[in-house]
Every structure is written in C-alpha cells, then in structure tokens.
Amino acid sequence: MKTTPNFQDADAFYESLLDAHSGLSREESELLNARLILIMANQLGDSALLQACIAAARQTTAAGTAQPVE
C-alpha cells in the first residue's frame, strides 16, 4: 500500500472534489462520498489492499492526525 503522496495533480483533484460537492446538502455530500469510495474501491479491487486502506484510515491520534502505516 502506498502511504506517501502519489497524486499526479493533488490540487486539481481536490478542486474537483470540492466542485462536486458544491450546492449539495450535507446528506447529498455524504452520499456522494459513499458512492465515490465504492467506485474507487472497485478500481482497486484487491480485498487485502482495501482492508489495509481501511486500517490506515482508522489509525489516528487523539488530535485526529493520521499516523504513518508500517
């Protein structure tokens, strides 16, 4: 699993993500995020990798900052 930045253009992706949420209610935004997660998970397709990603996302400190994955 890649734990270092691997974006071709992180700023453009982030801008697209913000644009996708523009004008949506909180519920609509949450549904968009859920659909996006499932679409991206389908692209990965590897169950072990998906489980590792979930575990990495859950590893946070009390302050809410991500911890490195070993």
Side-chain angles (χ1 to χ4, degrees):
M1 178 175 64
K2 297 175 181 124
T3 58
T4 57
N6 191 42
F7 284 94
Q8 291 177 353
D9 189 348
D11 291 336
F13 170 76
Y14 187 68
E15 188 68 31
S16 294
L17 188 57
L18 291 177
D19 288 347
H21 286 270
S22 179
L24 298 180
S25 68
R26 181 181 177 125
E27 182 178 300
E28 291 168 330
S29 284
E30 289 172 358
L31 289 171
L32 171 64
N33 283 337
R35 286 191 302 273
L36 181 59
I37 289 165
L38 292 173
I39 289 167
M40 289 178 162
N42 188 59
Q43 292 301 306
L44 289 174
D46 181 291
S47 294
L49 180 56
L50 291 168
Q51 291 301 317
C53 290
I54 291 169
R58 292 268 318 188
Q59 291 181 355
T60 59
T61 64
T65 57
Q67 294 295 301
V69 177
E70 299 178 23

